Amino acid sequence: MSTNRLLELFEQNPGDYVSGEMISQQLGVSRTAVWKQIKKLESIGYQFDASRRLGYKLISSPDTLSVPELLSQMKSKIFGSSIHWFESVDSTQNIAQKLAEEGEPEGTLVIAEQQQNGRGRMGRGWVSPQGKGIWMSMILRPSVPIHFAPQLTLLTAVALCRSLRRVTGLSIGIKWPNDLLIEGKKISGILLESTAEDERLRYVIAGIGISVNLEKLDYPDEMLNKVTSLRIANSGEGFDRTTIITDFLHEWEQLYLLYLDKGFGPIITLWEALSVSLNKPARLITPQGTIDGVPIGLDASGALTVRKEDGSTVVVFSAEMGEPVR
């Protein structure tokens, strides 16, 4: 029995219960097989009401992104001008990297409804269920030196934060360097991976994961104190993913062009205004050791300037930031 045939039965009976007995007779399968297919559909975002007496009623179908709809709403000129859509992939980063090597232009976007092996910073995994978030990677080809790559990460965080605040009305801030938080819980992941030649960037693959319409049941219990979604933060009301994508790409493109024209200075100002990490005691775990102090701003390269307990300052290029040990 295919899930398509099962869905056709529900489409023929919109808003009505369809008994398990009727389904099994129509499709020539057992009641157990029907139940298994219902569970399979639920796992990819379909919602059913089940009644022992009445059977099953389709409550809602998953939100599926449409490339024509995305292109029709696109306000950016370069970013998202070419879109590769997939139902399920291991990682959008891998596909975008392959396309970049094949010569695909800047702004080429890879979007998946589901990632089987999404990854974030430090090699961490990322929860990427079907049809509930935004899992995408884009090719950038900036003509800048390789040591400027971290600036692009901060720029991307600023663009995403500004866009999501505008679209959702939620109070979202940036934790250094590029985590977006709502009330201390993470709602997005940003991962930029660079390939260089002769000290210049050949291309950058910018991976973006946004937890849009995930519900608490989508997360392992042990993660719920650290992560959230836009829907959870909005009292259970979801958001349109197409609107979020197109608004973000427009904001991102505008800041990217500003950066290429005016340099990193304007991005520093915007990042500091959105940061939730500055002027608060923190413990930074760096490759060279642990630093306790108060982050006070970004330097011209994008590194974090930290005032230590003895009053001296130190520049931190890479670290995990946490609360200080009391």
Side-chain angles (χ1 to χ4, degrees):
M1 175 180 66
S2 72
T3 53
N4 287 339
R5 291 184 64 199
L6 179 56
L7 287 171
E8 285 174 7
L9 274 181
F10 287 105
E11 289 169 2
Q12 291 164 7
N13 297 273
D16 295 331
Y17 285 93
V18 182
S19 71
E21 181 179 359
M22 175 185 169
I23 297 172
S24 65
Q25 288 176 351
Q26 290 276 334
L27 302 183
V29 296
S30 68
R31 298 280 291 272
T32 300
V34 172
W35 178 82
K36 287 181 178 178
Q37 289 298 314
I38 292 288
K39 290 300 176 186
K40 182 178 178 181
L41 288 169
E42 287 179 335
S43 73
I44 59 173
Y46 288 87
Q47 293 185 325
F48 295 90
D49 185 43
S51 164
R52 285 185 176 275
R53 186 171 60 87
L54 301 173
Y56 302 97
K57 180 168 69 173
L58 178 61
I59 301 298
S60 67
S61 302
D63 170 29
T64 301
L65 292 168
S66 158
V67 173
E69 186 177 358
L70 281 166
L71 291 172
S72 72
Q73 294 190 31
M74 203 72 71
K75 294 173 283 186
S76 49
K77 299 292 190 292
I78 303 166
F79 288 11
S81 55
S82 174
I83 300 175
H84 298 256
W85 178 92
F86 299 88
E87 183 169 347
S88 182
V89 298
D90 61 342
S91 167
T92 57
Q93 287 290 95
N94 296 343
I95 295 174
Q97 183 174 24
K98 183 174 182 293
L99 291 171
E101 288 289 347
E102 293 171 354
E104 287 282 323
E106 180 168 70
T108 297
L109 190 66
V110 176
I111 301 179
E113 293 289 355
Q114 180 182 34
Q115 287 188 118
Q116 302 292 344
N117 191 29
R119 64 182 185 272
R121 290 176 62 242
M122 309 288 186
R124 295 190 180 95
W126 186 260
V127 178
S128 319
Q130 179 99 12
K132 293 191 173 184
I134 294 168
W135 329 120
M136 66 186 193
S137 298
M138 193 170 69
I139 299 171
L140 298 174
R141 296 189 182 275
S143 181
V144 298
I146 186 172
H147 62 271
F148 281 15
Q151 297 178 353
L152 295 170
T153 299
L154 297 166
L155 183 157
T156 303
V158 169
L160 184 56
C161 190
R162 283 166 59 90
S163 174
L164 288 179
R165 286 169 68 105
R166 178 169 55 245
V167 171
T168 69
L170 297 170
S171 180
I172 303 169
I174 306 173
K175 176 185 174 183
W176 189 81
N178 59 4
D179 285 348
L180 266 58
L181 307 182
I182 299 176
E183 296 182 352
K185 295 183 178 182
K186 186 171 177 176
I187 55 102
S188 76
I190 298 171
L191 175 67
L192 270 66
E193 297 178 309
S194 308
T195 298
E197 190 175 89
D198 298 328
E199 296 303 311
R200 306 291 291 187
L201 289 170
R202 282 184 58 220
Y203 61 80
V204 176
I205 305 301
I208 313 293
I210 310 170
S211 299
V212 181
N213 292 322
L214 281 75
E215 300 170 88
K216 289 184 178 180
L217 290 174
D218 292 309
Y219 295 105
D221 289 343
E222 63 271 16
M223 292 181 65
L224 287 173
N225 64 332
K226 298 177 182 178
V227 299
T228 190
S229 72
L230 298 175
R231 179 174 188 151
I232 294 170
N234 196 43
S235 303
E237 289 293 319
F239 293 95
D240 179 66
R241 292 184 298 156
T242 297
T243 299
I244 289 175
I245 291 169
T246 54
D247 190 272
F248 166 52
L249 290 178
H250 183 248
E251 179 72 29
W252 195 8
E253 182 176 277
Q254 295 303 303
L255 290 185
Y256 181 71
L257 294 175
L258 175 68
Y259 168 75
L260 295 180
D261 182 42
K262 302 293 185 182
F264 192 52
I267 307 304
I268 291 176
T269 302
L270 293 171
W271 188 95
E272 291 180 343
L274 294 167
S275 173
V276 297
S277 301
L278 298 183
N279 304 312
K280 299 175 184 177
R283 167 159 288 187
L284 294 109
I285 302 171
T286 78
Q288 293 75 37
T290 300
I291 299 171
D292 287 326
V294 177
I296 57 175
L298 299 179
D299 76 356
S301 73
L304 188 68
T305 302
V306 181
R307 182 181 292 117
K308 298 170 67 175
E309 294 173 334
D310 62 6
S312 64
T313 59
V314 63
V315 174
V316 176
F317 292 91
S318 177
E320 285 294 291
M321 177 179 285
E323 298 292 327
V325 176
R326 302 294 182 185

